[in-house]
Amino acid sequence: SRSLVPLFGSSISSASTVVRLYIKGCVISTDDSADEIAECLPHSKSLEVLSLTSCSITPMGATKIARGLKQNNTLRRLNLDDNSIGDEGFIALASTLPHVTLTSLSVNKNSISDASMGIQGLSQIDELHLKNNQITEQKNHEKKMIRS
């Protein structure tokens, strides 16, 4: 199978005007693919919405994406629904919060448990989607957090 990473890189390069990028069902489970995405994120000048649903993203992949997110100043919404980031990947993403522009994080169906619910930074995001995870205290429903 061919990689969509080159397309991803050209879609969010500093010369690109792409504002929303939706990728579904593309396997990004390799560390190299996640590395390339992480390297592209800091160079984006226009990308505001990134959706990578059902892309087999692992905890390590989410950690690498979080690394790139820390240096990005355009992304407002990140959707990683239906992947396998688990608590480790979620904790890495939460470590980027508060973020200069990110206001919405969707991590529905990612094997996230109660173990990562006390992470510092979660209250610093306007919208947090957590459906269909192994979270018992939130009764597995979508959670919206309002910045105070």
Side-chain angles (χ1 to χ4, degrees), residues 31 56-65 84-90 92:
D31 288 343
S56 303
I57 298 172
T58 64
M60 180 59 71
T63 299
K64 290 178 180 201
I65 290 169
S84 302
I85 69 168
D87 289 322
E88 180 185 338
F90 183 59

Side-chain angles (χ1 to χ4, degrees), residues 4 14 19 32-33 40 42 46 51 56 58-59 62 66-68 74 114 117 128 130 132-133 138 141-144 146:
L4 283 180
S14 58
V19 176
D32 291 342
S33 296
C40 293
S46 61
S51 180
S56 303
T58 64
R67 184 188 72 224
T74 62
D114 293 332
M117 287 298 98
L128 177 61
L130 295 165
N132 300 317
N133 283 293
Q138 270 76 25
H141 62 274
E142 187 169 303
K143 179 179 181 182
K144 284 197 175 183
I146 312 260

Side-chain angles (χ1 to χ4, degrees), residues 28-140:
I28 303 178
S29 61
T30 68
D31 288 343
D32 291 342
S33 296
D35 269 335
E36 290 185 45
I37 291 169
E39 288 172 18
C40 293
L41 282 172
H43 304 291
S44 171
K45 301 295 183 216
S46 61
L47 189 68
E48 295 180 6
V49 177
L50 176 59
S51 180
L52 301 170
T53 59
S54 305
C55 290
S56 303
I57 298 172
T58 64
M60 180 59 71
T63 299
K64 290 178 180 201
I65 290 169
R67 184 188 72 224
L69 182 60
K70 285 180 184 179
Q71 299 170 15
N72 173 282
N73 60 7
T74 62
L75 203 64
R76 292 182 305 108
R77 302 178 68 95
L78 178 60
N79 181 337
L80 297 177
D81 290 351
D82 195 21
N83 283 290
S84 302
I85 69 168
D87 289 322
E88 180 185 338
F90 183 59
I91 289 168
L93 290 166
S95 76
T96 67
L97 303 172
H99 188 272
V100 66
T101 57
L102 192 69
T103 60
S104 176
L105 176 62
S106 187
V107 287
N108 296 319
K109 199 175 177 190
N110 264 290
S111 302
I112 296 167
S113 73
D114 293 332
S116 56
M117 287 298 98
I119 305 168
Q120 205 172 17
L122 289 182
S123 63
Q124 300 298 312
I125 193 156
D126 294 339
E127 233 176 87
L128 177 61
H129 301 267
L130 295 165
K131 283 183 186 175
N132 300 317
N133 283 293
Q134 284 80 47
I135 302 166
T136 57
E137 292 179 22
Q138 270 76 25
K139 297 189 175 31
N140 237 1

